[in-house]
Amino acid sequence: MSRTLTLIQTGWESIRATATSGRKTDALAQLDRLLARPDVPADILRDGSKLAAELALDGGRFVAARRHLKTVLALDASDARACYLTGRAWEEDPDGCDRRAMLAYRKATLLDGTNATFRAAFGRAAVRCGKVKCGAREMRAAADQTPGNIEVIRVVVRGLLEANRPSAARKVLERASFLNPGGAELTSLFGRVRFETARQAQRQAEKASEYTRHAQDAQFARDGDRVLLPFVRIAGGIGPKRDDVAVRTDVVSFPRPHFARLRSGKADG
């Protein structure tokens, strides 16, 4: 028995070395074989399943990642990182679910409230689920926790832009740029913020222009989807006078389509 455990431990250490060297596909294949053994100790099963979930996420295998994470949480329900990875597995999956991602991120923040990455991810997921105020508040709080963490700032800025709050995103970026001057990624994020700010201003200008145009066109009557145009028609001269002012009695007419008259012949019969 001790020899078997030694072999399992040696195999586990070899798999971790393979994953660290960048051979993730090989490491995941070896992990699947190791975790399928019925005699794997609980600690290796937990840690191995978590590593397998991370490798599966990197490879876009979201269903497999969620399966491994389910094993981790069954062994340790208080594992905050496993909850966070579960949120990623739902969020990044094209066939996933933003609501399940939000719930998983929320559980991660409740288990570890000091982790700004978990909090930023929860805020962005909340925005995507329609909880804009809550999500924006959580993201700003995450940025305040670690204003110099580029990973957190990236999530916060993109989430605030999704929430249509470019001014808040700019404030977060300005503070991060002060702590990390000359960062290429921050420069790229500034470009996105400027673009969204300009787009929002353009949309507001278009709305104002549309309102003005409708106000100018208010004199035209509408009947359903048809616009009634005031075509002049002779109505028998001048109408009755009101206070010595002649009143015209023109009425609105409806334009109708004109169809070409087709000649009928014997061949048509």
Side-chain angles (χ1 to χ4, degrees), residues 35-63:
L35 297 175
R37 296 176 60 103
D39 54 351
V40 179
D43 58 337
I44 294 180
L45 180 60
R46 182 192 64 236
D47 296 340
S49 296
K50 190 187 299 185
L51 177 59
E54 294 181 359
L55 296 175
L57 273 173
D58 292 341
R61 298 175 56 184
F62 304 107
V63 176

Side-chain angles (χ1 to χ4, degrees), residues 182-189:
E185 185 167 3
L186 293 179
T187 302
S188 175
L189 289 173

Side-chain angles (χ1 to χ4, degrees), residues 127-142:
V127 167
R128 292 175 177 176
C129 291
K131 301 180 182 295
V132 178
K133 290 184 178 179
C134 172
R137 182 176 65 248
E138 291 296 321
M139 285 187 287
R140 287 196 299 267

Side-chain angles (χ1 to χ4, degrees), residues 165-215:
R165 309 222 171 161
S167 59
R170 186 187 304 107
K171 291 179 181 178
V172 170
L173 271 178
E174 288 173 350
R175 186 177 180 186
S177 297
F178 178 78
L179 298 173
N180 299 277
E185 185 167 3
L186 293 179
T187 302
S188 175
L189 289 173
F190 261 119
R192 291 192 60 179
V193 170
R194 284 193 293 268
F195 174 81
E196 289 297 327
T197 302
R199 187 179 66 86
Q200 193 175 83
Q202 184 177 9
R203 290 184 61 185
Q204 292 176 351
E206 289 176 354
K207 287 182 180 180
S209 176
E210 188 74 10
Y211 176 80
T212 303
R213 186 180 66 81
H214 284 311

Side-chain angles (χ1 to χ4, degrees), residues 52-117:
E54 294 181 359
L55 296 175
L57 273 173
D58 292 341
R61 298 175 56 184
F62 304 107
V63 176
R66 291 195 292 268
R67 184 179 69 249
H68 287 300
L69 291 166
K70 187 176 181 180
T71 301
V72 176
L73 292 171
L75 294 169
D76 184 7
S78 63
D79 193 322
R81 179 161 179 79
C83 294
Y84 167 73
L85 293 175
T86 301
R88 280 189 54 194
W90 282 114
E91 181 184 40
E92 297 175 14
D93 188 352
D95 299 321
C97 176
D98 287 334
R99 180 178 177 277
R100 292 185 177 183
M102 180 188 70
L103 294 176
Y105 288 142
R106 176 171 173 75
K107 187 174 181 181
T109 59
L110 292 176
L111 292 170
D112 185 3
T114 63
N115 193 307
T117 300

